[in-house]
Amino acid sequence: MTDPERAELSRLFEDLDAEEADALRPAMELAAARAEDLAAQKAQLESQADALARIVAEQEGLLADATAYLQKLREKNAALAEDYRRLMGHDLAPAR
């Protein structure tokens, strides 16, 4: 192949590449916009997941506090029932 033929072939390939790039540009722009939208959605979902994890942790802490408080109430109730039994000589009748 001669130098002018190689130059012509190179120019034809460059033209073909430019046409292909022009034809693909709308699809590439759409894909880039979709990727940006997905990245924004991902960031929003990650933020929500973090907030939900915080809420779950606080709820678990609240449940632990309530369980500990209930145990203290049961212990106090048992102590008072024992005091009543010792004082009166019989168990306190259960509330209805």
Side-chain angles (χ1 to χ4, degrees), residues 4-15:
E5 290 172 333
R6 271 190 274 260
E8 177 66 18
L9 184 59
S10 177
R11 187 184 57 72
L12 287 173
F13 278 127
E14 287 174 6
D15 289 347

Side-chain angles (χ1 to χ4, degrees), residues 2-91:
T2 66
D3 285 342
E5 290 172 333
R6 271 190 274 260
E8 177 66 18
L9 184 59
S10 177
R11 187 184 57 72
L12 287 173
F13 278 127
E14 287 174 6
D15 289 347
L16 185 58
D17 287 344
E19 288 176 17
E20 183 179 14
D22 287 343
L24 291 176
R25 186 170 291 113
M28 296 299 288
E29 290 171 353
L30 185 62
R34 179 72 175 137
E36 286 178 24
D37 289 346
L38 290 173
Q41 288 177 8
K42 179 184 176 192
Q44 180 184 8
L45 290 172
E46 287 173 344
S47 177
Q48 286 177 337
D50 291 344
L52 289 171
R54 180 190 53 78
I55 291 169
V56 166
E58 288 183 26
Q59 287 285 356
E60 288 172 343
L62 183 62
L63 179 59
D65 291 347
T67 301
Y69 187 69
L70 179 58
Q71 183 59 35
K72 287 179 185 179
L73 289 175
R74 286 179 175 158
E75 290 168 2
K76 179 128 180 130
N77 185 52
L80 289 171
E82 179 59 25
D83 287 347
Y84 181 87
R85 188 190 62 73
R86 267 189 276 112
L87 180 65
M88 301 302 292
H90 61 85
D91 288 338

